[in-house]
Amino acid sequence: MMAQYLALKAEAGDCLLFYRMGDFFELFFDDAKAASACLDIALTARGEHLGAPVPMCGVPVHAAEGYLARLIKAGHRVAIAEQTESPEAARRARGSKALVDRAIVRVVTAGTLTEEALLDARSSNWCCAIGAAAGGVAVAAADISTGRFEIIETTEAALAAELARLNPAETLAAEDGPFAHHATTLRPRAAFDSAGGEARLKSLFAVATLEAFGDFSRAALSAAGALVDYLVYTGKSGRNPLERPQIHRSEDTMAIDAATRDSLELTQAQGGGRRGSLLDAVDRCVTGAGARLLAADLAAPLMDAGAIGERLDLLQLFADDAGGRAALRDTLRQAPDIGRALGRLVAGRGTPRDLGQLRDGLGAAWALAERLARIAPAPALLARLVPALQGHGALIDTLSRALVPAPPVDAGQGGYIAEGYDPALDDLRAAGAGGRRAIAALEARYRAETGISALKIRHNAVLGYHVEVPARHGDTLMREGSGFTHRQTMAGAVRFNAPDLHEAALKVTQAGAHALAAEAAHLEELTALALDRRAAIAATADALARLDVAAGLAERAAEGGWTRPRLADTPVFEVTGGRHPVVEAALARAGDRFVANDCALGTGARLWLVTGPNMGGKSTFLRQNALIAVLAQAGSFVPAESARLGLVDRLFSRVGAADNLARGRSTFMVEMVETAAILAQATPASFVILDEVGRGTSTYDGLAIAWAVVEAIHDDIGCRCLFATHYHELTRLAERCEALALHHVRAREWKGDLVLLHEVAPGPADRSYGIAVARLAGLPPATLARAKAVLARLEAGRAKTGGLAAGLDDLPLFATAAPAEPARDALRDALAALDLDALTPRAALDTLYALKGLAGEAG
């Protein structure tokens, strides 16, 4: 046995090996140590190997999913080694002491899960591979729980943003490749060969050419091939778990980098989890598939005005019809997640319950289609969705006749094929039931004949059917001529067999075995019928999810008084009465009211400089407008009285920062890296929010950087921008920047207390109210008094010298050329690059000649 285990462990590599032994999965050696520590289960020992005890632990097969979930969450990968033959078959083939054959049937990883117990119903579970070839970069992404397969053509600069959008559970990259730092799992370089990838895709989809799927770049073939190779390695079943690939390009959606996603908390709050995120505030979906689609929509707002309009038209339909919306949501609420049920069937892990979910979900879709088809005129998107809900009548009828109303998860016990579907199966069940009645009659007869009222006929997997009596009556049945044969003695009972019981039991077991085999054959047939309609069922699942998203967003709009945004052909951003959806919801729970504010960015004032005190609402104002842009282009109504927006191609947020010690970056360094990315990537169609740029360094340095960033955004980029700052000196830029407008968040001091009004008003703030905010924070009175005295001295000095901005009046605005870099000293550079300890005498002499030559050139 140990030789078999070690061979399977060598195949499993760095995965923990679950080795099936009867009703347990056992782990040995270091795997056992790791699993026992992670799962908090007992570590024991079994026999010896090379003279040392073998560490061992195990988990019951029936509870394996729960343990797997904990191991995967802890970062482990698990190879499942199942018994591929029964002990009886092994003994028949190779003798009484034959070892049962085992094989690794699956490798369980974070990105290849399909089981309900291991997945979040409201989140997609992406496994991604990063490929590069011929100067291009691509990401192949698969969610095998539904079969969804996407290939994203991108660039190296935009790669991090695409990965942040997908938020994959597992990311693959080539060993020692340029993208290894993005990976959770490294794979051999050969897996990323583009020619091999093309061959794998053709084999997977059984086609001679990929032209019908679209135009694949070499980078796309590299990524897709590596992903398929990994899924084959982990799946082991040989089945294709993926739908036809959908090709996307980065420019099809609003570009949002990882820092901006974190800052705006689009689908995940900064503390982790959904609570507190935009998705959490917006999600009113009643199905898991709808919630997953909504998260994808918010993560990738569209750049196609026509497609956005179609989503808004469908949402408008449900917003205008509260009764129809409620009826639709009630129907969807009862519909199972057919996308994931289909995914399990495709992956070879399906159960009778999954077929029952297909039956019920497709039936609900059919009923919805009949109701929605009566809407006239229908929005364009609805007109395309309704046909996708239909066409499954024959499959629904077959599954309805074949399956019991609530099929079980475990197919091994049978009982899922409905009575009347197969007369032969009904006969087998009747024979089994007759045998069980005969056994019950035998039990009554044995009691009467022996006079032992406690006699029972029991069944277990080892002895089968047997007679059991209390130990005190054992001698009675052991007497010669009793008709009973002793089988087993235990502490409190004795077990026997009898010829007539054996005959009756044989009928029951044979009928039961034949019935189970018949049901298993029907399960295979029904699964094949479902898989024949795989693409159509997947389309139905997508249509149900889209309807759920539209109805859920309409419900959210009705709750919050949200309005439909209007899309403009020009780069405007005009919002009246805009609100922050997350903050508004939090205030409502506390019984407070959110203060709405307007925002009007356009040709004449595309950059707002917002000043005012801390806690006054500047950051909230900035973020709410960025979120309104995301919601609008995702196809949602927005929290405002009205909104007219030009499409945003790239969204940037530099609001708040934290140390990134793991990469050696301070708060200020993080701030500068993010600001540099904005200045390098923003376009005139972008939308940028910047909060307190420059605050992480000295006052003069910070003001200088903030001043230069404002100039760059205003003159060089020309995009829509909200810039919040405490540097009041920046307000001087309004005199010379024609598209810059000054605004502030209002605050007042009343009887020594600071009153924050949270209103955005035109013009600069009169002061920062920093000491008043410090008082609110609870600084000691003595400290506050000292701060006031220092502030008075500083303000007096500023009045006398012209303050921080002294001399800026003479600074040329928007210099046409940047100052030249100081000339490089080649001789100094060469000397600095020398590794003196590594020089041989000969190399030292050659270096001296080279340095002399450089000195001559410099002279």
Side-chain angles (χ1 to χ4, degrees), residues 239 344-346 348-355 358 395 398-399 402-403 411-412 416-417 421-422 425 515-533:
R239 290 188 179 184
R344 289 187 288 274
L345 291 167
V346 169
R349 301 165 201 156
T351 68
R353 181 184 174 191
D354 292 320
L355 287 172
L358 287 190
L395 180 60
T398 300
L399 294 177
L403 298 172
Y416 49 86
I417 298 298
Y421 179 70
D422 178 358
L425 174 61
L516 285 176
E519 288 203 70
H522 285 308
L523 179 63
E524 189 172 338
E525 293 167 3
L526 296 171
T527 299
L529 284 176
L531 296 185
D532 285 344
R533 295 194 54 77

Side-chain angles (χ1 to χ4, degrees), residues 142-159:
D143 182 349
I144 67 166
S145 70
T146 60
R148 191 171 182 84
F149 185 20
E150 295 183 2
I151 298 174
I152 303 101
E153 300 273 8
T154 185
T155 63
E156 187 169 351
L159 174 62

Side-chain angles (χ1 to χ4, degrees), residues 27 195 247 447 477 509 538 544 554 566 659 784:
L27 299 98
I247 300 178
R447 286 177 180 174
L477 299 191
T509 54
L544 290 171
R566 292 174 292 130
D659 291 328
L784 291 171

Side-chain angles (χ1 to χ4, degrees), residues 524-564:
E524 189 172 338
E525 293 167 3
L526 296 171
T527 299
L529 284 176
L531 296 185
D532 285 344
R533 295 194 54 77
R534 172 183 175 181
I537 295 171
T540 299
D542 291 344
L544 290 171
R546 177 55 64 194
L547 289 169
D548 189 21
V549 168
L553 288 174
E555 186 75 12
R556 183 65 183 90
E559 287 177 11
W562 292 12
T563 189
R564 175 173 179 160

